[in-house]
């Protein structure tokens, strides 16, 4: 709705200016002024309605993304969670999803509308005066080229800033969850020093990204200031030497200003979009991880568990060539208790983690009530 209005207004202005210079009339001016006010109100109402609809859309999509990531994290295997800091996983839910707005469908819709407006304004530039239009399009192409060439670096800086901030989130989570241990060992100063170092790296990374964006903004500002001024001077020259009118210059300058506004919106969007792409990569790193297989490929058996546990020549390693358990044979009768005693790293927690099948043995097998764990329906088994 607003695009045709934006195209029509400069033509009205050109007509008003040229008619007023040739034959001044107060009544005509008031009539044209009323029409311009009416068009502005209609355009504003259309814009408000679109923004309201897109705002609701964005909130709902972000909610769905959060829910999808949360449910997927719940289904990921224990090995995935133990190999990553809790703060790092929390950062995907808080920082990364919150940073997706530039990549949302509503933002892309607005950019598509701006692209249509840009094409329309460029066509009208050529309609008003094609010599000046060529200079205007050259300016737009230069601005686009700069944006295109700097995008990879901007995304790289955004990704690094996100990673550093994730480290900060993880450090805060560790300090809060381990508060009693820190106090018990008088480690407040040590933890503070560690946090200062992590925070310092995050700030440095954020400053690098912000300064790069600032440099780009200054380049855009200089080009957007000098370019139109030179083009307008060319328009004045055409008024003096050809039949080009003052009204035509007004209309051309309005179209050029709106075209540069569109370019500015797209450039600013690209800056935020690169940051959103960095967040998207981190989110899909989670979503692309294979979830835990709830049922064995051979079909999961549902059994009534009594609790007789048997480890049959079980070996296990968290990392290749670093075994924790070596050919362990262990038999525990149902309804009995067994204490595993040994130094740190002996494998006590590993044995406990193998029983609910958080991990599968590297070799050997684990049986419950004489049934291999790998043949059971995992959800049914764990619920017991």
């Amino acid at each position: 709705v607003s695009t045709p209005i934006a195209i029509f207004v400069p033509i009205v202005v050109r007509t008003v200016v040229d008619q007023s210079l040739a034959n001044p009339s107060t009544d005509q001016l008031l009539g044209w002024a009323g029409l311009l006010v009416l068009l502005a109100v209609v355009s504003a109402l259309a814009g408000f309605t679109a923004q309201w609809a897109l705002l609701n859309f964005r909130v709902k999509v972000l909610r769905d993304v959060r829910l999808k990531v949360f449910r997927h994290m719940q289904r990921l295997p224990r090995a995935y969670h133990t190999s990553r800091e809790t703060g790092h996983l929390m950062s995907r839910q808080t920082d990364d999803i919150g940073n997706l707005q530039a990549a949302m469908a509503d933002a892309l819709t607005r950019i598509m509308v701006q692209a249509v407006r840009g094409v329309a304004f460029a066509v009208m530039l050529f309609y008003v005066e094609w010599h000046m239009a060529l200079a205007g399009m050259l300016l737009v192409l230069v601005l686009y080229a700069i944006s295109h060439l700097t995008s990879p670096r901007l995304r790289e800086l955004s990704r690094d800033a996100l990673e550093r901030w994730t480290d900060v989130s993880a450090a805060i989570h560790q300090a809060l969850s381990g508060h009693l241990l820190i106090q018990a060992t008088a480690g407040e100063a040590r933890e503070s020093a560690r946090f200062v170092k992590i925070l310092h790296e995050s700030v440095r990374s954020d400053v690098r990204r912000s300064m790069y964006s600032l440099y780009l903004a200054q380049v855009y500002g200089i080009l957007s200031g000098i370019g139109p001024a030179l083009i307008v001077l060319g328009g004045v020259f055409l008024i003096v030497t050809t039949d080009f009118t003052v009204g035509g210059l007004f209309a051309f300058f309005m179209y050029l200003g709106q075209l540069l506004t569109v370019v500015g919106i797209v450039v600013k969007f690209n800056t935020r979009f690169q940051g959103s792409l960095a967040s998207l990569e981190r989110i899909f790193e989670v979503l692309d991880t294979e979830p835990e297989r709830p049922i064995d490929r051979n079909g999961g058996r549902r059994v009534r568990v009594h609790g007789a546990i048997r480890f049959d020549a079980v070996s296990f390693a968290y990392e290749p060539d670093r075994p924790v358990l070596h050919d362990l044979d262990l038999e525990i009768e149902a309804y009995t208790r067994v204490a595993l005693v040994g130094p740190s790293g002996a494998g006590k927690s590993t044995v406990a983690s193998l029983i609910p099948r958080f991990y599968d043995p590297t070799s050997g097998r684990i049986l419950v009530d004489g049934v291999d764990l790998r043949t059971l329906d995992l959800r049914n088994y764990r619920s017991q």
Side-chain angles (χ1 to χ4, degrees):
V1 172
S2 61
T3 300
I5 293 175
I7 295 171
F8 183 62
V9 167
I11 297 298
V12 173
V13 171
R14 182 179 70 172
T15 303
V16 171
V17 172
D18 288 341
Q19 286 185 358
S20 298
L21 291 175
N23 184 23
S25 172
T26 304
D27 293 338
Q28 282 189 341
L29 281 175
L30 290 176
W32 287 117
L35 177 60
L36 291 175
V37 170
L38 177 62
L39 292 175
V41 171
V42 172
S43 181
L45 289 175
F48 174 80
T49 304
Q51 292 297 325
W52 175 81
L54 291 172
L55 175 63
N56 282 277
F57 178 78
R58 180 196 314 143
V59 170
K60 292 176 181 178
V61 173
L62 284 176
R63 175 202 62 194
D64 291 346
V65 173
R66 288 189 191 279
L67 186 58
K68 183 180 181 66
V69 172
F70 180 83
R71 286 174 172 169
H72 190 78
M73 283 183 174
Q74 296 294 305
R75 298 170 56 215
L76 292 177
R78 177 67 179 165
Y80 181 88
H81 287 272
T82 54
S83 64
R84 289 160 178 81
E85 294 283 356
T86 302
H88 284 223
L89 297 178
M90 290 176 59
S91 179
R92 301 298 192 272
Q93 268 284 1
T94 54
D95 303 322
D96 288 317
I97 293 179
N99 196 36
L100 285 187
Q101 295 200 16
M104 293 294 297
D106 66 318
L108 290 173
T109 301
R110 286 199 296 271
I111 290 301
M112 289 171 63
V113 171
Q114 293 299 327
V116 171
R117 290 167 67 94
V119 171
F121 294 146
V123 170
M124 295 308 296
L125 286 178
F126 282 95
Y127 170 74
V128 174
E129 216 298 313
W130 69 271
H131 297 90
M132 296 166 59
L134 288 175
M137 294 311 299
L138 178 61
L139 175 61
V140 170
L141 288 175
V142 169
L143 293 174
Y144 172 79
I146 293 173
S147 176
H148 179 72
L149 293 174
T150 56
S151 291
R153 176 60 177 165
L154 194 57
R155 190 189 311 179
E156 178 185 341
L157 291 172
S158 297
R159 187 187 301 112
D160 184 66
L162 284 169
E163 292 293 342
R164 299 288 77 76
W165 177 249
T166 298
D167 293 338
V168 172
S169 299
I172 293 174
H173 178 269
Q174 285 181 348
L176 293 177
S177 60
H179 181 249
L180 288 178
L181 180 61
I182 293 171
Q183 282 192 329
T185 57
E188 293 89 347
R190 180 184 66 250
E191 286 300 311
S192 294
R194 188 174 74 90
F195 183 73
V196 165
K197 182 179 179 181
I198 294 173
L199 185 61
H200 179 67
E201 290 299 321
S202 175
V203 170
R204 283 173 59 88
S205 181
D206 195 46
V207 167
R208 283 195 297 269
R209 177 186 59 181
S210 299
M211 289 301 297
Y212 191 75
S213 299
L214 181 61
Y215 293 146
L216 292 178
Q218 293 303 310
V219 172
Y220 294 137
I222 291 172
L223 292 176
S224 299
I226 295 176
L230 295 176
I231 294 172
V232 169
L233 289 176
V236 173
F237 175 77
L238 290 175
I239 292 174
V240 174
T241 58
T242 67
D243 60 352
F244 190 53
T245 65
V246 175
L249 180 60
F250 267 91
F252 184 91
F253 193 67
M254 291 181 70
Y255 283 129
L256 181 61
Q258 292 187 95
L259 179 59
L260 291 178
T261 299
V262 168
V263 173
I265 291 173
V266 173
V267 166
K268 289 180 181 178
F269 172 80
N270 183 61
T271 301
R272 294 184 295 115
F273 186 63
Q274 297 307 319
S276 291
L277 287 181
S279 290
L280 273 176
E281 290 175 358
R282 286 156 49 91
I283 290 172
F284 276 104
E285 175 190 310
V286 175
L287 293 177
D288 289 341
T289 303
E290 280 293 321
E292 191 172 47
R293 192 180 302 278
I295 300 174
D296 191 82
R297 291 179 182 177
N298 299 323
R301 295 175 55 185
R302 288 173 173 262
V303 297
R304 178 61 183 169
V305 175
H306 297 286
I309 300 169
R310 180 184 169 195
F311 281 61
D312 183 11
V314 170
S315 296
F316 179 78
Y318 291 101
E319 300 176 11
D321 303 323
R322 296 186 62 182
V324 179
L325 301 178
H326 311 262
D327 292 326
L328 174 64
D329 291 315
L330 174 65
E331 193 159 349
I332 306 172
E333 296 294 331
Y335 310 111
T336 63
R337 295 180 182 179
V338 170
L340 298 179
V341 182
S344 177
K348 304 181 298 296
S349 299
T350 300
V351 170
S353 296
L354 289 172
I355 294 172
R357 203 187 166 192
F358 291 148
Y359 307 94
D360 283 326
T362 307
S363 62
R365 59 179 184 159
I366 301 172
L367 300 95
V368 172
D369 298 332
V371 181
D372 193 326
L373 282 186
R374 285 171 289 201
T375 66
L376 294 180
D377 183 307
L378 196 54
R379 298 275 184 263
N380 175 262
Y381 168 63
R382 286 180 179 171
S383 69
Q384 301 179 66

